[in-house]
C-alpha cells in the first residue's frame, strides 16, 4: 500500500500566500516608465534566484569549467569532483563493491556530511532520483552527459531557503551547454601500468539552429570501465592486514602490520574442515583429499593471526575473489530543443541513460559445528576422521561451493528524465520561468548463487520440499557436491526498485524600487513535487529462506513550497563602501508525510569595499526532510556484529555504579555467562520510523575576495570560513547501542524503550534486536576554503585548498545524561588539509598541464591508544598528473596524459590497500590517450 500521510491541518493557502503577495507588486513597478534604459544582461548564480548583472554574490562558489573537466582525463563526472578538496568519497566504483546493490552508482558527498545532505541540481533544477540498495533516493551524476557540461558550480553551506530540503552541506549545480552548433566527437582510451581497470569512451554531440530562433542538440555518451580485481594487485586488501600480535609482550603493540598473509576458510577450492584444539584454545585447519580419503594438517591455531589468517604458504588464494573497483558501463542519450518566440522562450530536453555494473565476492558456503560422534551418525565418515579424532572432538565444516563461482550481483539501471521550461521577460525588468520535470528510474538487482537456508540445515542436512517428494539429492561434507544438489540449494533471483519524480516550479525575479544605493530586487516562486519509491524484492528474498530478508517498500509523498528572496542595496559610492548589499530569503514547505511545516531562511551580506576587496557572509537555517525509506521502510532481517553487554567480557563495563551487572541479572543473566552472539553475528530487524522529523542546520560562511589588480593583474584570491551546525540529526541506534542502553540506562530497571527493542530467549540468548532511527544526535563541520587564480601570458595557476577545523558528531550518553563529542578531523579519510593545483601553459598549438592533488593522512582510528598498533598511518596522498594537448588541424586535436606519475599507491599500507579512500587508490600509475574532432 502506498504511504502518503496527510497533515492534520490544511495549510495549502499559507504556502502560496507568500509568493502571491510579493509577486503582486511586480506589474506596477515600471508599467508607465517609457524612458527606462535597456537593462544589462542578467544572470543567475548558484544560491540565489535573483537575476543580477554580476556574478559576484555572497555565496562562496567554486566553478569548474569544461576546460577544467577536460584536463582531468576522467570521463566520469563523479571521478572529477571527488578529487576536489571540498568533497568526501561518496558512492563510486571503489565504494560500491562492498554493498551489493550500489555498484555503478555515482553519488556526491560534500564536506563528509553524507550524500543525503548534498543537493544536486541540473541547470538549477532538481533531477529525477535513483535508489541505493537501502532505498535511499539520490541524484546519480553518472547520468549526466559529461560532453555537455559547460561548468559545475559548487556552493558550500545551507541553501534550503532557495532550493528546499537537502541543501545542508551545499549545492552542486551542473550547467549544461545550450544552443550548441556543429558536430563534435571524442574517443578516449586509458589503462594502468600494472593492468586492470582500463577505460574506453566515445562521445558524439551534434547541434544545429533553425529559423534563426531555434536550436536542436543531440548528445551520445558511451563509457566502459573494466574491473580492478583483488588479484590484479599483489598489495590488495586480502594480502595485508593489521593483525593481533602473537608475541605481544611488555611495551609491544597489540596489533602489528602483517604482509604476505592469506585467509584460511574463504573461497577455498577444495574440501576443508577444522578441529578444536583444546590445548591452544582454537581450531586447527585440515585439508581432506576426496581421492585418497586422507586428512592433512593445513594450519594450527597457534600459527594463525586472529584465528583465520596465516602466512601465505599455509593459506589459500586470498585475492581470488572480489573487486577493488567495480566494472561500469554507461550509455547516455541527451536531446534538447530550444526556441525563442516573440514573447517567450521554450526549452525541452530528454535524458535517457542505462548503466550496468556488478561485483563479486567469494563463492557460497555452508558452515557447521558438530562433534565427531554426531558426524558419524549423520554421514558416511571416512576412517581418517574416526581414527584421528575422538568422538567428543568438535569439527567445524566450511564447505565452499566454488564450482558455481563467486556470489555475483549485477545492477542494471534505466533512467529517464525530461524537462519543459517556459521563460520570458515582462516590463523589461521582470524575469519569469515555469518548469516541469518528470523522471523515472528502474533498477534491477540480479543476485546469483545465493544459498537457500530452508533447503540446507545447520547440520548440513538436505531439507525442504524434496523431503516430502522423496527425491532429495545427497550431500556429504567429505565429497564434492553433485550438480543436482547445487541446483537444489543454490538459487538466483532478481529484485527491482522503481523511483518516480515529478516537479513543477514557477519563479519570478525582478526590480522593485530604485533606492539611493541601487535597485531593490526580489525573486519569489512556488514549487510542487511528487516522489515515490517502490522496492519489490523477489519472493524468495522476502520469504526468509535466505540469510537476509527484505520486504516491499511502497511509499510516496507530495511536497508544496513557496519562497521569497530580496536583495537590498544599503550603501554605495562611499569611502570604504563601493557597494553594500543585503540579501534575505525565506521558504516554507509542506510535506504530506510530516505534520509540521518546514521553514528555512537566509541572511547574507555582500560588501564591496572597492574594486579590489570584497567581503561576503551568509547565515542560513537549512533543513533536510527524512527520506521515505527512513520513515516507511518495511521490516528487513539481516545479520551484523553485535556486542552483548551481558557477556562475561563486557558485564563489568558501563557506568561505575555497577548497574550493568545488576540489570543483566534482571534479565536472568549472571556474571560469567557467554553470549550466543559472541562468536557469530546477531540478527537485526530494521524498519523505518514514521515519527522522524526534519533535520535542521545553522550554517555560516564569512569570506574575503581579493582582486589586487593595481599590484598584480589577473590575480584573484578568496578565503572563506564555513561553519555548519547540524541539529536533530537522524542517526540509527544499532544492535550494540540497543543492548547497551537497555542495561546501562537506569539503576535496577530494564523498563525503557531500548529494552523494548531487544528480544532475548529465556536462557538470555539474544534472539534479535530492532535498530531504530531517531532525531537524537548532532554534528558540526567547520573549516576554511582557500582559492587563488593567476594567469600570466600563456601560463596560469589555479589553486584550491580546504583546511578542516572540525568534523564532529555529538551523541547523548543515556547512562550519564551527558553529550559526548567526537571530533574526527585528521583521521584517515577526514584530512585536515586537502588541496589541488592546476598549472597550464600554452605554446601555439600545444597545451601542457600539470595537476597536483594533496590529501593529508591520518590515523586509521584516532581514538585508539597510540601504542595499540605498530603502524596505523599511511603516507600523505600526493598525486601528480601530466597532460599534453596538441591541435593538429582546425578540426582535430589529440591529447595524452599520465596520471599518478610518481605511483603514489594505497597498496603501500594496510589501511589503504582496500582502495576505498579517495586519494589512496591502489590503481597505481595510469595513462590515457584521446582525440577530439570537430566536423
Amino acid at each position: 500500500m502506498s504511504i502518503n500521510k496527510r497533515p492534520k491541518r490544511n495549510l495549502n493557502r499559507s504556502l502560496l500566500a507568500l509568493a502571491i503577495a510579493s509577486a503582486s507588486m511586480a506589474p506596477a513597478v515600471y508599467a508607465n516608465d517609457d524612458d527606462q534604459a535597456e537593462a544589462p544582461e542578467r544572470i543567475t548564480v548558484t544560491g540565489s534566484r535573483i537575476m543580477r548583472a554580476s556574478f559576484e554574490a555572497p555565496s562562496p562558489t567554486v566553478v569548474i569549467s569544461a576546460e577544467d573537466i577536460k584536463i582531468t582525463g576522467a570521463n566520469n563526472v563523479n571521478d572529477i569532483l571527488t578529487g576536489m578538496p571540498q568533497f568526501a568519497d561518496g558512492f563510486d566504483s571503489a565504494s560500491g563493491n562492498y554493498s551489493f546493490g550500489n555498484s555503478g552508482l555515482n553519488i556526491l558527498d560534500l564536506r563528509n556530511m553524507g550524500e543525503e545532505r548534498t543537493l544536486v541540481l541540473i541547470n538549477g533544477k532538481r533531477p529525477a532520483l535513483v535508489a541505493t540498495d537501502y532505498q535511499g533516493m539520490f541524484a546519480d551524476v553518472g547520468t549526466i552527459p559529461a560532453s555537455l557540461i559547460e561548468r559545475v558550480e559548487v556552493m558550500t553551506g545551507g541553501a534550503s531557503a532557495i532550493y528546499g530540503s537537502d541543501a545542508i552541506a551545499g549545492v552542486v549545480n551542473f550547467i549544461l551547454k545550450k544552443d550548441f552548433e556543429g558536430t563534435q566527437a571524442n574517443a578516449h582510451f586509458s589503462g594502468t601500468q600494472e593492468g586492470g581497470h582500463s577505460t574506453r569512451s566515445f562521445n558524439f554531440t551534434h547541434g544545429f539552429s533553425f529559423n534563426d530562433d531555434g536550436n536542436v542538440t543531440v548528445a551520445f555518451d558511451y563509457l566502459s570501465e573494466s574491473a580492478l580485481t583483488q588479484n590484479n594487485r599483489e598489495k590488495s586488501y586480502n594480502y595485508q592486514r593489521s593483525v593481533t600480535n602473537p608475541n605481544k609482550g611488555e611495551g609491544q603493540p597489540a596489533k602489528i602490520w602483517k604482509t604476505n598473509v592469506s585467509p584460511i576458510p574463504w573461497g577455498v577450492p577444495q574440501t576443508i574442515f577444522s578441529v578444536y584444539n583444546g590445548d591452544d584454545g582454537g581450531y586447527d585447519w585440515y585439508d581432506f583429499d576426496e581421492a585418497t580419503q586422507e586428512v592433512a594438517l593445513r594450519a594450527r591455531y597457534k600459527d594463525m593471526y586472529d584465528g583465520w589468517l596465516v602466512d601465505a604458504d599455509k593459506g589459500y588464494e586470498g585475492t581470488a575473489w572480489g573487486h577493488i573497483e567495480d566494472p561500469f558501463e554507461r550509455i547516455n542519450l541527451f536531446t534538447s530543443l530550444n526556441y525563442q518566440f516573440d514573447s517567450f522562450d521554450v526549452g525541452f530536453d530528454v535524458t535517457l541513460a542505462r548503466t550496468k555494473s556488478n561485483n563479486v565476492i567469494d563463492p557460497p558456503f555452508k558452515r557447521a559445528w558438530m562433534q565427531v560422534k554426531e558426524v558419524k551418525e549423520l554421514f558416511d565418515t571416512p576412517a581418517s576422521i574416526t581414527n584421528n579424532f575422538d568422538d567428543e572432538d568438535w569439527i567445524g565444516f566450511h564447505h565452499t561451493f566454488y564450482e558455481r563461482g563467486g556470489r555475483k550481483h549485477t545492477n542494471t539501471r534505466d533512467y529517464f528524465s525530461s524537462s519543459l521550461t517556459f521563460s520570458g521577460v515582462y516590463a523589461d525588468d521582470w524575469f519569469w520561468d515555469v518548469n516541469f520535470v518528470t523522471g523515472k528510474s528502474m533498477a534491477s538487482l540480479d543476485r546469483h548463487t545465493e544459498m537457500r537456508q530452508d533447503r540446507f540445515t545447520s547440520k548440513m542436512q538436505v531439507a525442504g520440499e524434496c523431503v516430502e517428494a522423496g527425491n532429495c539429492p545427497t550431500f556429504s561434507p567429505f565429497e564434492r557436491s553433485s550438480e543436482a544438489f547445487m541446483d537444489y540449494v543454490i538459487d538466483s533471483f532478481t529484485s527491482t526498485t522503481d523511483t518516480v519524480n515529478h516537479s513543477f516550479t514557477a519563479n519570478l525575479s525582478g526590480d522593485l524600487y530604485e533606492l539611493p544605493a541601487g535597485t531593490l530586487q526580489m525573486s519569489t516562486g512556488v514549487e510542487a513535487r511528487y516522489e515515490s519509491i517502490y522496492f519489490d524484492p523477489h519472493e524468495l528474498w522476502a520469504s526468509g529462506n535466505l540469510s537476509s530478508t527484505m520486504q516491499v517498500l511502497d511509499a510516496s509523498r507530495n511536497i508544496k513550497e513557496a519562497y521569497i528572496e530580496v536583495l537590498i542595496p544599503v550603501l554605495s559610492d562611499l569611502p570604504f563602501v563601493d557597494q553594500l548589499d543585503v540579501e534575505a530569503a525565506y521558504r516554507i514547505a509542506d510535506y504530506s508525510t510530516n505534520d509540521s511545516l518546514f521553514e528555512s531562511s537566509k541572511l547574507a551580506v555582500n560588501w564591496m569595499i572597492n574594486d579590489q576587496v570584497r567581503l561576503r557572509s551568509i547565515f542560513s537555517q537549512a533543513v533536510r526532510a527524512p527520506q521515505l525509506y527512513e520513515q516507511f521502510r518495511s521490516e528487513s532481517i539481516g545479520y551484523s556484529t553485535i556486542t552483548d553487554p551481558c557477556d562475561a567480557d563486557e558485564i563489568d563495563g558501563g557506568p561505575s555504579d555497577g548497574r550493568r551487572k545488576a540489570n543483566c541479572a534482571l534479565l536472568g543473566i549472571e556474571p560469567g555467562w557467554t553470549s550466543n552472539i559472541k562468536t557469530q553475528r546477531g540478527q537485526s530487524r530494521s524498519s523505518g520510523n514514521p515519527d522522524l522529523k526534519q533535520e535542521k542546520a545553522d550554517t555560516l560562511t564569512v569570506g574575503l575576495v581579493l582582486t589586487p589588480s593595481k599590484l598584480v593583474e589577473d590575480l584573484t584570491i578568496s578565503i572563506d570560513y564555513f561553519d555548519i551546525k547540524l541539529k536533530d540529526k537522524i542517526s540509527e541506534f544499532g544492535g550494540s547501542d540497543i543492548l547497551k542502553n537497555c542495561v546501562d540506562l537506569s539503576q535496577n530497571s530494564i523498563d525503557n524503550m531500548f529494552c523494548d527493542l531487544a528480544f532475548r530467549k529465556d536462557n538470555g540468548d539474544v534472539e534479535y534486536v530492532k535498530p531504530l532511527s531517531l532525531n537524537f544526535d548532532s554534528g558540526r563541520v567547520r573549516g576554511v576554503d582557500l582559492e587563488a587564480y593567476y594567469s600570466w601570458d600563456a601560463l596560469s595557476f589555479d589553486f584550491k585548498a580546504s583546511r578542516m577545523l572540525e568534523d564532529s558528531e555529538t551523541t547523548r550518553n543515556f547512562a550519564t545524561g551527558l553529550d559526548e563529542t567526537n571530533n574526527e578531523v585528521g583521521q584517515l579519510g577526514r584530512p585536515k588539509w586537502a588541496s589541488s593545483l592546476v598549472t597550464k601553459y600554452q605554446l601555439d598549438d600545444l597545451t601542457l598541464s600539470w595537476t597536483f592533488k594533496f590529501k593529508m593522512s591520518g590515523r586509521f582510528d584516532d581514538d585508539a591508544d597510540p601504542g595499540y598498533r605498530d603502524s596505523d598511518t599511511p603516507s600523505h596522498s600526493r598525486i601528480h598528473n601530466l597532460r599534453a594537448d596538441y591541435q593538429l588541424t582546425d578540426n582535430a586535436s589529440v591529447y595524452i596524459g599520465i596520471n599518478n606519475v610518481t605511483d603514489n599507491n594505497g597498496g603501500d599500507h594496510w589501511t589503504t590497500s582496500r582502495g576505498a579512500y579517495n586519494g589512496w587508490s591502489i590503481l597505481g600509475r595510469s595513462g590515457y590517450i584521446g582525440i577530439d574532432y570537430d566536423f
Side-chain angles (χ1 to χ4, degrees), residues 553-578:
L553 170 62
D554 183 4
S556 64
R557 64 184 174 195
N558 298 303
I559 303 124
K560 301 173 184 177
E561 302 182 85
Y563 78 93
I564 183 172
E565 179 186 17
V566 294
L567 187 157
I568 307 170
V570 179
L571 298 172
S572 67
D573 300 326
L574 296 174
F576 304 107
V577 184
D578 191 36

Side-chain angles (χ1 to χ4, degrees), residues 721-725 780-784 803-808 823 825:
Y721 169 80
F722 60 89
D723 189 350
I724 305 173
K725 298 177 181 177
R780 187 177 186 183
V781 174
R782 59 188 182 94
V784 178
R803 170 61 165 97
M804 295 300 296
L805 302 173
E806 183 174 354
D807 185 353
S808 66
N823 183 11
V825 161

Side-chain angles (χ1 to χ4, degrees), residues 24 30 156 203 223 236 240 266 294 319 326 372 374 461 482 487 597 600 604 693 699 771 779 801 819 876 912:
S24 65
Y30 292 119
T156 294
N203 302 320
L223 172 63
S236 67
Q240 53 183 327
W266 311 112
E294 294 298 323
T319 61
D326 293 323
V372 171
E374 189 174 8
Q461 299 299 293
S482 66
D487 287 343
L597 294 178
S600 51
K693 58 184 180 180
T699 76
D819 289 335
H876 300 313
T912 52

Side-chain angles (χ1 to χ4, degrees), residues 32 119 127 257 298 403 492 514 644 694 758 883 907:
N32 299 315
L119 180 63
W257 176 13
R298 182 79 179 197
E403 297 92 341
S492 300
E514 193 67 31
D644 189 343
Q694 71 270 29
R883 177 183 171 115

Side-chain angles (χ1 to χ4, degrees), residues 254-274:
K255 292 277 190 177
I256 59 173
W257 176 13
K258 185 69 178 176
T259 61
N260 199 31
V261 292
S262 179
I264 282 286
W266 311 112
V268 180
Q270 63 189 79
T271 300
I272 64 171
F273 63 88
S274 59

Side-chain angles (χ1 to χ4, degrees), residues 273-276 284 286 295-296 372-373 376 383-395:
F273 63 88
S274 59
V275 178
Y276 186 76
D284 298 332
Y286 293 83
V295 299
V372 171
K373 60 183 178 182
K376 292 161 62 176
S384 58
I385 301 294
T386 58
N387 293 340
N388 286 287
F389 305 108
D390 296 332
D391 282 355
E392 303 304 318
D393 284 334
W394 283 89
I395 285 185

